[in-house]
Amino acid sequence: MRVTVRLFARLRDITGAAELARDTAPGATIGEIWRDLAREFPELTGYERSISTAVNADYARMDTRVAEGDEIAFLPPVSGG
Amino acid sequence: MRVTVRLFARLRDITGAAELARDTAPGATIGEIWRDLAREFPELTGYERSISTAVNADYARMDTRVAEGDEIAFLPPVSGG
Amino acid sequence: MTPLFAIGAAPLEVDRIAATLAGAASDSADSDGAVVTFLGLVRNHNMGRRVHYLEYEAYEPLALKAFERIGREAAARWPDARLALHHRVGRLEIGEASIAIVVRSPHRGNAYAACRYAIERVKQIAPVWKREFFDGGDVWVEGATANPDDEGARAEAERLACA
Amino acid sequence: MTPLFAIGAAPLEVDRIAATLAGAASDSADSDGAVVTFLGLVRNHNMGRRVHYLEYEAYEPLALKAFERIGREAAARWPDARLALHHRVGRLEIGEASIAIVVRSPHRGNAYAACRYAIERVKQIAPVWKREFFDGGDVWVEGATANPDDEGARAEAERLACA
């Protein structure tokens, strides 16, 4: 099952990519995708407790299950305004 | 001793004049000028407790003494903004 | 150059007022992170009456001093906030602005507070009166007895400013 | 026509945003007595660092939904207040506006409160990030972990709005 992972701000700097395509098992959660990513890019680990996440441009939770073609976003703490 | 009395908003409507010249005794207070005016225009009496007053465009009190040539203003409750 | 404090018959130009304020302390303008602006508009109704238009009258020299006093009070309470305040007089149609207040500050909390404080103080101590023209008549609106030395009123303005 | 909620690279045009908001409910616009506007400006310093410029980045579709959500929250809390909110992204120089919020209401208290609430909520839940470029380096500023369902954060925004 293929999903798109989007990364912003410092998460993008760490991974070196604003967007990644990733294969994952059917029924995987966002949390599983994050942990795979953190294994690949260990610097992400420090963000585990402070990130937010979204699926298809709606806020979601780490236990949300993803589907084929979903766009998963990982969001570091925000600083707009 | 001659002073100028300025009247605003409904006080002006009551007296029919934005500005009046009045003769008063040397050392008169603003309160005395007001009471003379209220005798002349009895409708003013209702404002005795709610007016503010100024001398030469500075807020003053009813017991402030006036001097020759002063501009005395009587101000009904305000409604700016 | 538009002054920081003014009262007159011309329509209010918020952009020019804001530009004057930004320029008034150009060395500190770059450290401002917030601009809060208040516009008071003429409403089409008041106390159940349908309003056609308003006329504002002022004791202009004293009004100007009152605005400057409000500016000093705000600066004493929020030293990093700077304020401009213009009031209009004469006939105003529905939807037109009768007052414009612009505040700049490094911090948004102080900008909101000083701006709200200023409009509350205008309503307490500025020698300005509005006459409402409605169906079948007109009336001078009378609000607060102006007394700049009334510390209770000043404290109430500060409370409303959520300071 | 400028939308009520927007995010993009173009400089913010407060007059057009305000005009859109006034036109968005033209039947009720005549009963509005207050317009409160907030502009967030790029400051030349932050946490002791001299800032040269900022770059803002956003997850734009989610940011737009967050702004609309903030508009709905404000409308639920202050039903007579209406709100427009535009955020800018890309490189911003010192003194430029990164965000503009305009609120109209019949009553000034609600206009101030809804406007302050909106900027606090943006800082809590809008997926927008700023990168500060200062002497000798740059840093992504990281504030709040965005969680729109965090009722404690929402209540704090309401408390700051002095509601």
Side-chain angles (χ1 to χ4, degrees), chain B residues 6-13 47 49-59 61 71-81, chain C residues 40 56-59 61-62 65-66 87 98-99 119 122-131 140-148:
Chain B
R6 295 196 58 180
L7 297 149
F8 292 90
R10 213 169 98 67
L11 306 189
R12 178 166 52 73
D13 287 355
Y47 280 92
R49 288 157 169 272
S50 63
I51 50 163
S52 305
T53 182
V55 177
N56 300 329
D58 274 314
Y59 277 111
R61 295 159 35 131
E71 175 178 290
I72 317 303
F74 292 114
L75 316 170
V78 299
S79 55
Chain C
Y56 277 92
E57 169 178 328
Y59 186 17
L62 182 57
K65 286 181 190 170
H87 203 301
S98 54
I99 187 168
I119 180 62
V122 165
K123 286 173 179 285
Q124 290 175 348
I125 68 167
V128 179
W129 299 270
K130 80 178 162 193
R131 186 177 199 158
W140 284 106
V141 180
E142 295 182 346
T145 294
N147 178 5

Side-chain angles (χ1 to χ4, degrees), chain A residues 2-77:
Chain A
R2 203 163 182 80
V3 298
T4 301
V5 175
R6 295 196 57 179
L7 298 149
F8 292 90
R10 211 168 99 70
L11 306 189
R12 179 166 51 73
D13 286 354
I14 289 171
T15 61
E19 194 170 317
L20 295 167
R22 282 293 177 272
D23 288 310
T24 186
T29 63
I30 294 177
E32 284 159 12
I33 295 169
W34 169 260
R35 282 185 289 276
D36 284 350
L37 211 61
R39 266 191 291 277
E40 197 175 340
F41 303 101
E43 253 195 288
L44 291 180
T45 311
Y47 279 92
E48 169 112 24
R49 288 158 167 271
S50 63
I51 51 164
S52 303
T53 183
V55 177
N56 300 328
D58 273 315
Y59 278 111
R61 295 159 36 129
M62 290 301 251
D63 60 4
T64 302
R65 292 185 188 282
V66 302
E68 169 72 25
D70 277 353
E71 176 177 291
I72 317 304
F74 292 115
L75 316 170

Side-chain angles (χ1 to χ4, degrees), chain D residues 102-121:
Chain D
V102 185
V103 179
R104 290 177 66 103
S105 167
H107 305 290
R108 66 186 179 282
N110 289 356
Y112 275 102
C115 190
R116 178 76 193 269
Y117 179 83
I119 180 61
E120 299 304 326
R121 288 299 273 161

Side-chain angles (χ1 to χ4, degrees), chain D residues 13-159:
Chain D
E13 298 185 281
V14 183
D15 290 349
R16 294 186 60 183
I17 299 168
T20 294
L21 186 63
S26 51
D27 55 330
S28 68
D30 282 352
S31 60
D32 288 334
V35 186
V36 175
T37 303
F38 174 79
L39 284 183
L41 305 183
V42 178
R43 296 194 295 162
N44 65 357
H45 67 278
N46 191 31
M47 298 192 291
R49 290 188 293 258
R50 177 154 192 85
V51 177
H52 294 308
Y53 64 94
L54 295 185
E55 276 180 15
Y56 276 91
E57 168 178 329
Y59 186 17
E60 295 194 14
L62 182 57
L64 202 55
K65 286 180 189 171
F67 298 162
E68 289 164 350
R69 178 195 177 104
I70 292 167
R72 287 194 303 275
E73 288 179 358
R77 179 65 182 77
W78 299 280
D80 67 8
R82 287 168 298 119
L83 188 152
L85 194 166
H86 286 213
H87 203 301
R88 198 172 162 197
V89 292
R91 175 172 169 150
L92 272 79
E93 308 299 333
I94 305 302
E96 287 195 289
S98 53
I99 186 167
I101 302 172
V102 185
V103 179
R104 290 177 66 103
S105 167
H107 305 290
R108 66 186 179 282
N110 289 356
Y112 275 102
C115 190
R116 178 76 193 269
Y117 179 83
I119 180 61
E120 299 304 326
R121 288 299 273 161
V122 165
K123 287 174 178 285
Q124 289 175 349
I125 68 166
V128 179
W129 300 270
K130 79 177 164 193
R131 186 178 199 160
E132 240 176 55
F133 292 80
F134 50 86
D135 282 332
D138 66 82
V139 67
W140 283 105
V141 180
E142 295 182 346
T145 295
N147 177 5
D149 298 325
D150 179 347
E151 176 54 26
R154 207 202 58 74
E156 170 66 5
E158 206 172 289
R159 190 189 67 76

Side-chain angles (χ1 to χ4, degrees), chain C residues 61-78:
Chain C
L62 182 57
L64 202 55
K65 286 181 190 170
F67 298 162
E68 289 164 349
R69 180 195 175 104
I70 292 166
R72 287 193 303 273
E73 288 179 357
R77 179 64 182 76
W78 299 280

